[in-house]
């Protein structure tokens, strides 16, 4: 997986907005297994390329992509209901957190730098998972699919998040793991950093980022350099 650090220190920032699934929560691999299982149960064959295209996408975009791939006979409502039910059951056991999340949030709190979440997930999903993971109180704002008219890759989620934090988008960092999210953050004018999870960055996506980093630990080291 190609990773690049910024050639110069990160520009000064006064807030950070994080994506949720695959960035804060280590849920994308869990969801991948569920998507494969449900697709097979319904008589359809999921592929890596199709799965990658729906990572980070909104409900509406996922619906469209699956209908385009499988035809109008694809039972999206049933697919979606089964996936949500299985995901709720898995997350009721535990919500895995990505490496470096607690460390960078502790650093940001100590520096009094406000944070927010901008996710394509619905409110119940987002607030429930963040709460169960013990992270919800770390964020001054959580922007979900239910809070915007236009989901990612439209910039509205990031513009809304920075508005709620009271900061200029140019003075905020966005942290993303998906192509859709990177496009949204860049279009909103945030200093965009990709920390890839399942999907690697293309040349186009890398060009929209100030850096592509291996982990949130690496981001913390760049955001709060020692010595």
């Amino acid at each position: 997986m190609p990773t690049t650090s910024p050639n110069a220190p990160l520009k000064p920032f006064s807030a950070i907005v994080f994506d949720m699934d695959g960035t804060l929560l280590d849920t994308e691999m869990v969801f991948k297994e569920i998507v494969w299982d449900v697709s097979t149960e319904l008589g359809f064959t999921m592929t890596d390329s199709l799965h990658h295209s729906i990572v980070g996408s909104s409900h509406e975009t996922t619906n469209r992509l699956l209908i385009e791939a499988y035809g109008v006979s694809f039972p999206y409502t049933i697919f979606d209901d089964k996936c949500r039910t299985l995901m709720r059951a898995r997350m009721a056991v535990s919500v895995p957190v990505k490496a470096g999340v607690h460390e960078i949030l502790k650093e940001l709190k100590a520096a009094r730098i406000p944070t927010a979440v901008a996710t394509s997930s619905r409110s119940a999903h987002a607030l429930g998972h963040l709460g169960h993971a013990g992270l919800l109180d770390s964020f001054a704002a959580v922007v979900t699919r239910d809070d915007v008219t236009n989901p990612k890759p439209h910039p509205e989620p990031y513009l809304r998040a920075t508005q709620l934090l009271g900061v200029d988008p140019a003075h905020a960092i966005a942290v993303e793991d998906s192509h859709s999210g990177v496009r949204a953050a860049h279009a909103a004018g945030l200093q965009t950093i990709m920390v890839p999870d399942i999907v690697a960055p293309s040349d186009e996506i890398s060009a929209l980022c100030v850096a592509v980093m291996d982990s949130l630990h690496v981001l913390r080291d760049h955001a709060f350099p020692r010595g």
Side-chain angles (χ1 to χ4, degrees):
M1 180 181 295
T3 57
T4 60
S5 294
N7 293 324
L10 295 173
K11 292 186 295 183
F13 62 95
S14 53
I16 292 189
V17 184
F18 294 91
D19 171 57
M20 188 180 75
D21 290 302
T23 300
L24 292 170
L25 305 182
D26 199 5
T27 47
E28 290 291 10
M29 285 303 298
V30 176
F31 195 64
K32 178 180 179 179
E33 294 175 7
I34 290 172
V35 164
W36 243 261
D37 290 345
V38 172
S39 298
T40 300
E41 179 185 343
L42 295 175
F44 297 86
T45 302
M46 181 56 63
T47 64
D48 280 327
S49 60
L50 179 56
H51 173 251
H52 286 178
S53 73
I54 67 176
V55 169
S57 296
S58 66
H59 171 85
E60 298 91 338
T61 299
T62 299
N63 187 358
R64 175 178 58 79
L65 291 169
L66 292 175
I67 294 296
E68 288 176 356
Y70 297 127
V72 294
S73 64
F74 183 76
Y76 180 76
T77 300
I78 296 174
F79 169 86
D80 185 57
D81 286 344
K82 285 181 176 290
C83 286
R84 288 176 186 276
T85 298
L86 290 170
M87 193 67 176
R88 279 196 299 270
R90 292 286 292 272
M91 294 301 102
V93 177
S94 69
V95 179
V97 176
K98 295 287 288 186
V101 167
H102 294 296
E103 292 83 352
I104 194 168
L105 290 178
K106 181 179 179 181
E107 197 92 52
L108 289 163
K109 182 179 180 179
R112 297 186 178 182
I113 295 174
T115 59
V117 172
T119 176
S120 294
S121 294
R122 296 288 184 180
S123 179
H125 170 103
L127 298 180
H129 289 188
L130 288 170
H132 197 183
L135 299 178
L136 187 57
D137 291 342
S138 297
F139 301 102
V142 177
V143 177
T144 73
R145 176 63 188 91
D146 297 318
D147 301 313
V148 296
T149 302
N150 304 291
K152 302 173 188 180
H154 194 279
E156 185 180 352
Y158 278 99
L159 293 174
R160 177 65 176 154
T162 51
Q163 178 187 45
L164 290 172
L165 292 179
V167 301
D168 187 317
H171 298 154
I173 286 175
V175 189
E176 272 286 352
D177 74 298
S178 73
H179 290 196
S180 176
V182 166
R183 291 188 179 101
H186 180 267
L190 284 78
Q191 189 176 186
T192 305
I193 294 170
M194 184 178 185
V195 180
D197 183 36
I198 288 179
V199 183
S202 62
D203 290 342
E204 174 218 347
I205 292 300
S206 293
L208 300 180
C209 300
V210 298
V212 178
M213 298 183 177
D214 286 313
S215 70
L216 293 177
H217 289 301
V218 176
L219 172 57
R220 180 171 59 92
D221 289 342
H222 281 280
F224 301 101
R226 305 308 197 260

